[in-house]
């Protein structure tokens, strides 16, 4: 009860790769127990296509950068990252790493957030047709488990529970 999303459709990696649209990478930082979650996204009109690339807790910025490089992400790609809970410092740290190598390691920018931005994002996704690759195991788990908080009568509120939301 209170599940936030429904009607998402699975697609294959091949189908995702064949969508002719720019890939934008979305990053949610994790710390000790929360995972760093990286998703490749493509947007075409009212459709959102997503593929989970990374879902790892407890890694720092250098290890995260190594993982992103191994996935083929370069300074030409756009990464939008969650600046909350210290994410702004991690974004700044990753941006400063290019000075060491004298090249742009990653083109990473903070997501624009503010009061109500989580609910605005939820509404936007609910208005879209969402497709996620079949191999996005953690993404599908979060899709099933991301829920609205329940009130005293066990009815959904307009406040999402702050868990199972790293890919969401």
């Amino acid at each position: 009860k209170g599940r936030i999303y429904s009607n998402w459709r699975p697609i294959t990696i091949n189908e995702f790769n064949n969508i002719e649209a720019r890939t934008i990478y979305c990053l949610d930082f994790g710390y000790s127990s929360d995972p760093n979650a990286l998703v490749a996204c493509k947007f075409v009109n009212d459709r959102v296509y997503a593929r989970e690339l990374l879902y790892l807790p407890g890694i720092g910025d250098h290890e995260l950068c190594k993982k992103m490089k191994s996935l083929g992400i370069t300074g030409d790609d756009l990464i939008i990252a969650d600046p909350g809970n210290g994410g702004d410092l991690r974004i700044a740290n990753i941006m400063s790493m290019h000075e060491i190598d004298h090249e742009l390691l990653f083109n990473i920018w903070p997501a624009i957030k503010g009061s109500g931005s989580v609910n605005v994002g939820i509404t936007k996704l609910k208005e879209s047709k969402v497709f996620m690759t079949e191999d996005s195991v953690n993404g599908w788990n979060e899709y099933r488990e991301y829920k609205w908080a329940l009130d005293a009568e066990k009815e959904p509120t307009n406040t999402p529970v702050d868990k199972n939301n790293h890919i969401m």
Side-chain angles (χ1 to χ4, degrees), residues 65-162:
C65 287
K66 284 183 194 174
K67 298 274 186 198
M68 290 193 299
K69 275 192 135 183
S70 74
L71 290 166
I73 300 171
T74 71
D76 294 329
D77 296 308
L78 175 61
I79 303 169
I80 304 295
D82 183 353
N85 298 320
D88 54 344
L89 298 174
R90 294 189 71 182
I91 292 167
N93 188 39
I94 291 169
M95 288 175 76
S96 72
M97 287 182 195
H98 79 279
E99 295 172 6
I100 297 167
D101 295 338
H102 301 291
E103 66 179 52
L104 183 62
L105 253 170
F106 297 109
N107 182 18
I108 184 169
W109 294 90
I112 297 170
K113 294 181 74 170
S115 179
S117 62
V118 171
N119 283 38
V120 168
I122 289 170
T123 299
K124 181 69 178 160
L125 273 180
K126 289 178 90 156
E127 291 172 348
S128 302
K129 294 179 181 122
V130 181
F131 302 83
M132 189 162 47
T133 59
E134 298 165 330
D135 67 330
S136 299
V137 175
N138 298 291
W140 284 111
N141 182 58
E142 287 190 3
Y143 165 78
R144 287 185 297 276
E145 298 299 324
Y146 192 39
K147 297 187 170 133
W148 298 111
L150 302 179
D151 63 18
E153 287 81 39
K154 303 289 185 212
E155 292 302 317
T157 64
N158 288 325
T159 304
V161 176
D162 188 16

Side-chain angles (χ1 to χ4, degrees), residues 3 59 64 111 150:
R3 187 168 154 183
I59 61 171
L64 178 60
L150 302 179

Side-chain angles (χ1 to χ4, degrees), residues 9-19 50-51 132-135:
R9 296 176 185 94
I11 59 171
T12 65
I13 296 170
N14 228 16
E15 288 172 309
F16 178 85
N17 291 338
N18 288 329
I19 295 162
R51 179 174 183 217
M132 189 162 47
T133 59
E134 298 165 330
D135 67 330

